Amino acid sequence: KFCWLFADLETPATIEDKPAAGCPAGLRIAAGDGGEVWVDGTLQCRFDNDHPALVMVTEKAVPGRKVAVAVQVYKKVQGGEKFDEAAWTLIDPRRALGRVELGIDAAKLKGDVPDGIIGLSQGGGLADYEDATAERLKKGGFKWFRMDNILTGALKKDADGKLVHDWADLDRRVDFMAKAGTAPILAVSYMPEVLDAVPNPDRQSAPRDYALWEELCYQAAKRCLERGKRVPFWEVWNEVNSGWLKPGPQDTGGETFQRLYDEALGSHQADREIVRRYEAYCKLYRASARGILRADPTAKIGGPALASGPMEGGKDHGHCANGKGFARGLMLWCRQEKLPLDFVSWHEYFQSAEVIAKEADVFRDYLKEFPEFQRSVEHFMVTEWNEAWWPDRPQDHEVGAAYCADGVIRAFLPHGVDRPCFFYVKQNDPGFRGDYSMLMKDNVPKPTYHMAHIFNHLSGRWLEVTGGDDDVCAVAAWDEKKPRLAVVMVNFRYRHALRRTVQLNIDHLPDSLKSACWREWTVDATHSNVWNDRDKAELAMTRNGRVDGSFAWNGVSQPNSITLVELLPAVSAATDKP
């Protein structure tokens, strides 16, 4: 499902109204659902309309010289079927010809690397609950697993009209998470039909009786405890700020909730339906917390599982909806009712690392107004996260993986988001359709799986990394016990990423690594990439060598790429896994 466009392009004398001769020149390409660009028979990069390509054609333009360009354009998944951009451009010589320098002093240790950096998230049921899938996830190093939609079928009526529990789905999910070696984060949702306050086929109704909902949460937590599958984290509902909770007749938007919401917002909320929804969420949160803590007093409760960040929308934050009202509103409600708030949570897709970092900072600013919750909130969780919330081609190849890796380094790690949850785990077919999954049928990995595997296997202590720029960023970790020194480098720019020359220098190597080995593992357009070659989907080692007293790495980092460089003793380097 693609088409090709071929041309022998002649380098123009002027580009962007400037003389082109002797200048680095390239092409900017973007089209609906994306594609890839080839120059003189070599693949340069993949792209889509949100992450357009910047392709180097020549470091020194010669007007009149021809170059063979081929653009493969993917057919429609969800986006448009048109070119958004196709133009010659002059490239900043500092990007085109300059070198990105990264420096690491292995003697300067920082904080501990957490046990797991990226977790998992799933909405409805998994594609399968097979042992092989659980084992693949365990090898990926995932340590937590967030699931919503866990109570939708947990309460039913029997033939006599009596309410009875059905734990089959909940048990299956919790058992699978245990097999995969992950700790559960369960989002209490959605509403069993027998508890609907209003008819709703999407199971988004508030409960007709909050006491019955409290009892259901109590029984669910108790069930997990009795089966030896304790759930440490319970998240209350899912994306209520965007409308995923329908208030019932008893949720009237009364004076108490109008006052609280106005205080949270900092202005009057005239839309009564938003206040009614806020009231329903407050009552739901209270009932959920009370029920869960009756069964397990040590459980951690949090929310509000916002759809996007805790800002209010409008001109500056158009991707957010009612975020401030529900984020601060939950804090005000928990203070008034003396309810726990042990973590804050939200979802983010598509937005840049800069935006995600700001969202975390805004949550932190809100907490400063609530000293009791500033002390109690132990985790910042992005409980759904991926390159897009719609079917999108980059989620099948390296662009989606590089987007995620860039967010980990530039947003999650420096801004204290310690429970990011990749949405979602697995599709049940081998097709390329921009699916969110990191695993395909038969547990064939996409580049996003390798991205998570690389980060999740960092251990020991962080090392300070100097250098980098808007294209290239990196993190490094030293684990004395293994011993292993690992550096993860990412080349990603939200728009117009470019191949870059990189030099990495590591000073003051530990004695155990002064006569060791180094290995390079690469995820890019042609390596570790099922989209590029189904037979070469596994993580690929691309180079290796000996360490002789000191270490310097030089390479060309392709656009939308992830590079792992690890230094380790020769015995450890004999294995074929990073």
Side-chain angles (χ1 to χ4, degrees), residues 210-280:
Y210 285 95
L212 290 176
W213 175 259
E214 178 180 330
E215 180 65 18
L216 177 59
C217 291
Y218 164 75
Q219 293 294 343
K222 180 170 173 282
R223 171 77 178 182
C224 294
L225 275 171
E226 290 175 344
R227 298 182 68 244
K229 302 289 173 62
R230 178 179 176 271
V231 177
F233 299 103
W234 297 83
E235 183 183 37
V236 180
W237 212 254
N238 186 67
E239 299 191 353
V240 63
N241 62 309
S242 65
W244 280 59
L245 181 64
K246 310 302 180 187
Q250 60 186 315
D251 308 312
T252 61
E255 180 180 346
T256 296
F257 296 98
Q258 182 75 60
R259 175 182 55 79
L260 285 173
Y261 198 89
D262 289 351
E263 182 180 350
L265 195 59
S267 61
H268 179 62
Q269 175 55 264
D271 189 333
R272 179 55 63 86
E273 288 306 305
I274 293 177
V275 179
R276 290 185 65 217
R277 196 185 331 140
Y278 169 68
E279 176 180 346

Side-chain angles (χ1 to χ4, degrees), residues 69 82 143 160 215 294 297 318 337 373 386 446 478 538:
V69 176
K82 66 181 180 65
K143 294 297 188 294
D160 298 325
E215 180 65 18
R294 262 201 297 138
E337 298 296 304
F373 300 137
N386 203 332
K446 291 184 183 180
W478 161 239
E538 297 297 334

Side-chain angles (χ1 to χ4, degrees), residues 71-365:
V71 180
Q72 187 186 42
V73 181
Y74 308 146
K75 285 293 189 74
K76 184 175 181 179
V77 171
Q78 181 165 320
E81 292 185 296
K82 66 181 180 65
F83 268 98
D84 294 282
E85 187 174 30
W88 282 94
T89 187
L90 295 179
I91 303 174
D92 184 343
R94 290 170 296 182
R95 291 185 72 202
L97 309 176
R99 183 173 61 189
V100 180
E101 295 189 357
L102 298 169
I104 296 170
D105 187 339
K108 294 183 177 179
L109 300 176
K110 299 174 68 179
D112 292 337
V113 177
D115 183 18
I117 292 175
I118 296 171
L120 298 167
S121 183
Q122 191 79 23
L126 285 160
D128 65 66
Y129 297 86
E130 296 172 358
D131 290 349
T133 303
E135 184 61 27
R136 186 68 166 186
L137 297 178
K138 184 178 288 187
K139 289 180 178 178
F142 300 100
K143 294 297 188 294
W144 58 88
F145 200 147
R146 183 260 190 182
M147 283 197 188
D148 67 20
N149 202 10
I150 61 160
L151 296 179
T152 311
L155 194 64
K156 301 175 181 178
K157 285 185 178 179
D158 63 13
D160 298 325
K162 180 182 177 182
L163 292 177
V164 294
H165 295 111
D166 181 350
W167 301 118
D169 184 56
L170 176 64
D171 290 351
R172 182 166 58 245
R173 295 188 191 213
V174 173
D175 289 348
F176 179 84
M177 286 186 267
K179 283 194 299 184
T182 56
I185 303 169
L186 296 190
V188 289
S189 58
Y190 292 107
M191 194 58 56
E193 187 174 1
V194 293
L195 293 186
D196 276 355
V198 293
N200 183 265
D202 296 320
R203 306 288 88 239
Q204 298 168 0
S205 172
R208 59 179 170 83
D209 185 330
Y210 285 95
L212 290 176
W213 175 259
E214 178 180 330
E215 180 65 18
L216 177 59
C217 291
Y218 164 75
Q219 293 294 343
K222 180 170 173 282
R223 171 77 178 182
C224 294
L225 275 171
E226 290 175 344
R227 298 182 68 244
K229 302 289 173 62
R230 178 179 176 271
V231 177
F233 299 103
W234 297 83
E235 183 183 37
V236 180
W237 212 254
N238 186 67
E239 299 191 353
V240 63
N241 62 309
S242 65
W244 280 59
L245 181 64
K246 310 302 180 187
Q250 60 186 315
D251 308 312
T252 61
E255 180 180 346
T256 296
F257 296 98
Q258 182 75 60
R259 175 182 55 79
L260 285 173
Y261 198 89
D262 289 351
E263 182 180 350
L265 195 59
S267 61
H268 179 62
Q269 175 55 264
D271 189 333
R272 179 55 63 86
E273 288 306 305
I274 293 177
V275 179
R276 290 185 65 217
R277 196 185 331 140
Y278 169 68
E279 176 180 346
Y281 183 65
C282 288
K283 293 176 179 177
L284 192 79
Y285 191 96
R286 181 175 60 189
S288 302
R290 288 176 175 175
I292 292 162
L293 293 174
R294 262 201 297 138
D296 181 2
T298 64
K300 303 298 184 182
I301 315 294
L306 297 175
S308 289
M311 291 83 95
E312 200 54 26
K315 179 182 177 182
D316 296 329
H317 308 294
H319 66 291
C320 300
N322 309 311
K324 183 179 182 181
F326 276 88
R328 292 193 73 248
L330 175 59
M331 296 172 191
L332 289 166
W333 176 247
C334 288
R335 168 183 281 177
Q336 175 180 299
E337 298 296 304
K338 294 182 171 50
L339 297 170
L341 183 63
D342 299 308
F343 62 88
V344 294
S345 64
W346 72 104
H347 302 164
E348 200 50 271
Y349 298 84
F350 182 70
Q351 301 299 327
S352 67
E354 181 182 14
V355 170
I356 297 173
K358 182 176 182 179
E359 292 169 350
D361 292 346
V362 168
F363 259 117
R364 232 172 226 103
D365 286 342

Side-chain angles (χ1 to χ4, degrees), residues 37-40 42-46 54-56 499 525 558-559:
V37 184
W38 297 65
V39 176
D40 287 334
T42 300
L43 175 62
Q44 300 295 313
C45 70
R46 295 190 177 89
L54 173 57
V55 175
M56 174 78 73
R499 66 105 180 98
Q558 298 299 328

Side-chain angles (χ1 to χ4, degrees), residues 417-435:
V417 178
D418 63 332
R419 290 290 190 277
C421 304
F422 182 92
F423 186 89
Y424 58 77
V425 176
K426 184 178 179 180
Q427 63 188 72
N428 58 6
D429 64 81
F432 293 119
R433 47 189 168 81
D435 189 84

